[in-house]
Amino acid sequence: MTAEPVIDQQQTRATAEVPATVRASLSPSRAADFKTCPLLYRFRSIDRLPERPSVEQARGTLVHAVLERLFDLPAAGRTPEAAGDLVAPQWDRLVTEQPELAALFDADDPDGTAEFLRSASGLLGGYFAVEDPRRLEPAEREALISAVVDDELLIRGYLDRLDVAPDGALRVVDYKTGGAPREAFEARALFQLKFYALVLWRTRGVVPRVLRLLYLKDAEVCDYAPDAEELARFERTVVALWQAIEAATARQDFRPRPSRLCDWCNHRALCPSFGGTPPPFPAGAASAGPLVGARARTSERPP
């Protein structure tokens, strides 16, 4: 199975040229959706149903933004106090860019927003408990990376952070802020990091030495060391997953897979497992193939 690089590093987030052989794209988030529940994948990727952001998601986005900006500061200035000073300005920026976030809090209750910002600052405390950013110089932050596998499938996603050691060793770092059940999401998080590791291996010829999850709420670190044989198996898994998505799209058959994660799903009212009825399958979706518009969305960050 061959692959070729599409984007080694995304600084401007401009859409990259995609090879003409590519007819579909897949991000770790959408792949994990299909693994978790095929119907959820359909709702998000084919029906494109809107989802209202949750407070937890907004908090995660804010903390990620602060940690990205923190490394813009000189090393000596990357202190807990400096990170705290970034919280309110970054929230203002996010609300300006995504006005729907303002609806999360009652305009007549400023204490709600203030408590939200305090909770984000608390998660930053968890970050400083496990890392000292004054000793780090990330090679890339919020970088879009992608590769083509099996000649026709573009796999891509955004790295929270990539560290490169003097000897060239790679460490992929992902920040986790959500309070969802840990056991339900750690396997999904490692799946995501293996996705990134596969792209880096295929585009740079280097297997990342460490895949690191930083759990900020619990101030814990989870390290995983992949190898080339494992990533080759994972590549076959990703291609098989894509083929399963194609088959489900052709049949217009995306079945629900109930689990504890249903408690957080935006689309329970439309799910047959909860007495709902999905909307009609979008016209033309089956003939167009899964993940239509791969070229147009290469710069889109998965939720």
Side-chain angles (χ1 to χ4, degrees), residues 129-201:
V130 295
E131 277 195 339
D132 183 353
R134 295 173 299 180
R135 302 177 61 185
L136 297 169
E137 289 298 339
E140 299 177 31
R141 291 169 280 143
E142 294 295 316
L144 176 63
I145 59 172
S146 61
V148 176
V149 298
D150 204 40
D151 297 324
E152 297 179 321
L153 177 65
L154 177 74
I155 60 173
R156 80 284 188 277
Y158 280 90
L159 297 171
D160 285 350
R161 200 179 85 211
L162 180 66
D163 300 334
V164 180
D167 65 357
L170 304 180
R171 179 172 64 192
V172 179
V173 180
D174 198 67
Y175 308 123
K176 294 300 175 189
T177 60
R182 182 76 156 280
E183 62 273 17
F185 277 90
E186 188 157 293
R188 181 182 176 117
L190 283 175
F191 177 88
Q192 176 185 4
L193 290 187
K194 288 180 185 179
F195 213 96
Y196 299 151
L198 172 59
V199 173
L200 291 169
W201 180 42

Side-chain angles (χ1 to χ4, degrees), residues 21-25 41 45-46 48 152 242 245-252 254 281-295 297:
T21 56
V22 170
R23 61 188 181 88
S25 67
Y41 170 89
S45 297
I46 296 178
R48 299 294 190 92
E152 297 179 321
W242 167 49
I245 292 171
E246 280 199 315
T249 305
R251 296 192 307 267
Q252 301 185 22
F254 290 87
F281 202 80
S287 60
L291 295 160
V292 177
R295 289 168 179 75
R297 298 204 307 276

Side-chain angles (χ1 to χ4, degrees), residues 255-274:
R255 301 183 184 184
R257 186 174 297 151
S259 72
R260 71 178 67 184
L261 300 181
C262 295
D263 292 341
W264 290 275
C265 184
N266 281 267
H267 311 297
R268 281 171 59 115
L270 297 173
C271 179
S273 296
F274 298 92

